[in-house]
Amino acid sequence: MIVAQDSTGQFTTIQAAVDSLPKNNRQTITIQIKEGIYEEKLVIDKPNITIESIGRDKVIITFGDYARRIQKNGEEMGTFGSYTSLITGDNFSAKNVTFQNHAGPGSIVGQALAVYVDADRISFENCSFLGNQDTVFTGPLPPKPMKGDRFGGPRDGLVRTVGRSYFKNCYIEVDVDFIFGSATSVFHQCEIFCLDRSMDVNGYLTAASTPEDTKFGYVFIDCHLTSNAAPNTVYLGRPWRNYAKTAFINCWMGSHIKEEGWHNWNKPEAEKTTCYAEYNSYGPGGNMDRRVRWAKQLTEEEAKEYSIKTILGNWKNEC
C-alpha cells in the first residue's frame, strides 16, 4: 500500500490507508509513505501494521493538539487527547518516520503528545519524536488517578494491559517528563535530547508508572543523553507512581544531567519502592558516585539481566 500526497499512490493520507483495512486485520500489512509533511491526527487501531518511508524520503506526521485546548463542550482537551498519533493495534512497527506535535512550549499549551502507545509488540526504528512537554507516552494509564492526574482521553475506562515496546536508533526531543507511562519499553542506541527551558530544573527524562508486579519498566541501553540546557539541570527521572522502574545501561550522559540523578516527586515513600538503576554511565553527567542514596548501582552480573531478550521475551529474541 502506498500513500502519496501527489496522488501517485492508492491513498493521499495515512489514515485512509489504515481505515481501508479490516478491523481484526491478521495479515502483516506494510504502508509505504512518500515524502511529505502529513498533517494528521492519526489513529492506528488495527493490528499487524508497518508504516515506513519510501527509500530516504522524509516523512513527518504532525499535528498541534494540546492539553489546554478548549473543546466544544467547554472543557480542556487534557493530556491524553492531545496526541498526534495513537497506536492501539498490536504488532505495529514504524521505520524512518518522524512523529511530531507542533503545539508549542508546555508553559503555554500544557502537555502535547507526539505518540500515545497502548498496545503490545510495538517497535520503532530510525524514528524521531519531536515535541515539548510529554512527547512519548507508553500506556496503559495507571489504574487509579492521583492528585494532579486528569485522565480522560481515548483509552479511559478500557482494560489496562501492560504492553512492550522497542525503540531502536531513535531520536527523542522534548523538555518535561517526556517519556512517561506504565509500559515495558527498551530504548536501544537512541539519542534523548532535552530542550533548554532556562530553568534551574530544566526537566525529567522519564516519569514511569510501572505496575508493582512488572519486573521491567523503562530501560535505556547504549543511549546518548544530550541537551542545549545548562549543566546540572535535568533529572534522569521521577516516579509518576511509587513502583516506577527505570534503568540506564552503558549510556553516555551530558553535563545537563543532575549529579543526584533522580527525584522523588516530593513523595519520600516512593524512595522505598522505586527501582532506579544505572550501570556504566559515562560522560560529563555520568558520575554515579553522587547519585541519591536510594538509587541502585548495578553490578556487572546484575546488569546482564537487562538484556533485550530478557526484558522483551521471545518477541525480540533476535536482538
Side-chain angles (χ1 to χ4, degrees):
M1 303 173 70
I2 295 178
V3 175
Q5 292 177 325
D6 61 4
S7 299
T8 56
Q10 293 102 318
F11 305 94
T12 57
T13 68
I14 305 166
Q15 190 66 64
V18 173
D19 291 346
S20 73
L21 298 173
K23 183 177 180 179
N24 295 315
N25 174 57
R26 296 183 179 181
Q27 182 180 359
T28 300
I29 298 294
T30 297
I31 299 173
Q32 293 187 314
I33 310 169
K34 289 191 175 182
E35 183 173 5
I37 299 174
Y38 292 80
E39 184 90 11
E40 301 188 41
K41 192 173 179 72
L42 181 63
V43 177
I44 298 178
D45 55 358
K46 298 168 182 177
N48 305 312
I49 293 176
T50 292
I51 65 172
E52 62 182 23
S53 65
I54 295 178
R56 296 186 177 181
D57 285 356
K58 189 171 184 179
V59 172
I60 300 174
I61 303 170
T62 186
F63 209 75
D65 269 342
Y66 52 92
R68 295 177 186 169
R69 181 189 288 277
I70 303 300
Q71 303 179 93
K72 291 181 179 179
N73 61 7
E75 297 181 357
E76 291 186 348
M77 174 170 282
T79 301
F80 302 101
S82 70
Y83 62 85
T84 291
S85 297
L86 171 65
I87 300 161
T88 61
D90 291 343
N91 297 310
F92 168 84
S93 65
K95 299 177 182 179
N96 305 310
V97 174
T98 294
F99 299 86
Q100 180 186 47
N101 189 310
H102 62 247
S107 58
I108 299 172
V109 303
Q111 297 88 343
L113 309 181
V115 291
Y116 181 146
V117 178
D118 197 351
D120 192 27
R121 299 182 301 277
I122 306 299
S123 68
F124 300 93
E125 185 174 350
N126 299 324
C127 290
S128 294
F129 303 87
L130 309 179
N132 287 82
Q133 185 170 346
D134 295 7
T135 296
V136 175
F137 173 65
T138 62
L141 289 166
K144 295 180 180 179
M146 70 178 204
K147 185 178 179 180
D149 282 345
R150 294 187 60 191
F151 281 178
R155 305 290 285 171
D156 196 28
L158 298 180
V159 175
R160 291 170 168 83
T161 302
V162 177
R164 295 165 292 172
S165 49
Y166 178 62
F167 297 75
K168 172 67 180 292
N169 194 32
C170 291
Y171 175 82
I172 303 173
E173 176 182 289
V174 71
D175 46 42
V176 183
D177 287 344
F178 53 101
I179 301 170
F180 70 114
S182 306
T184 294
S185 302
V186 172
F187 299 83
H188 184 206
Q189 298 176 342
C190 295
E191 180 180 357
I192 318 296
F193 185 89
C194 187
L195 295 166
D196 183 19
R197 297 191 302 149
S198 300
M199 299 177 68
D200 291 339
V201 177
N202 205 73
Y204 307 82
L205 299 189
T206 64
S209 55
T210 319
E212 181 179 357
D213 59 354
T214 301
K215 185 173 182 179
F216 298 102
Y218 291 144
V219 181
F220 297 81
I221 302 173
D222 300 332
C223 291
H224 273 65
L225 312 184
T226 60
S227 180
N228 59 353
N232 203 37
T233 58
V234 178
Y235 286 97
L236 294 173
R238 59 179 179 173
W240 188 16
R241 289 296 188 273
N242 284 351
Y243 291 90
K245 298 178 180 69
T246 302
F248 289 86
I249 312 296
N250 296 322
C251 291
W252 184 92
M253 302 181 180
S255 61
H256 61 296
I257 298 301
K258 292 183 74 68
E259 291 180 342
E260 59 267 41
W262 308 91
H263 192 278
N264 66 8
W265 209 329
N266 301 319
K267 299 183 292 184
E269 73 278 8
E271 298 178 8
K272 300 177 182 179
T273 59
T274 56
C275 182
Y276 284 158
E278 291 178 73
Y279 175 75
N280 194 34
S281 297
Y282 63 105
N287 185 354
M288 297 184 291
D289 293 339
R290 297 187 179 182
R291 298 297 194 236
V292 292
R293 289 180 296 176
W294 44 276
K296 183 176 179 59
Q297 295 187 28
L298 300 172
T299 65
E300 182 178 359
E301 199 62 29
E302 289 172 330
K304 291 179 181 178
E305 295 183 18
Y306 288 83
S307 70
I308 297 171
K309 180 179 179 181
T310 300
I311 298 165
L312 298 179
N314 291 331
W315 169 51
K316 281 295 176 183
N317 61 8
E318 73 275 14
C319 297

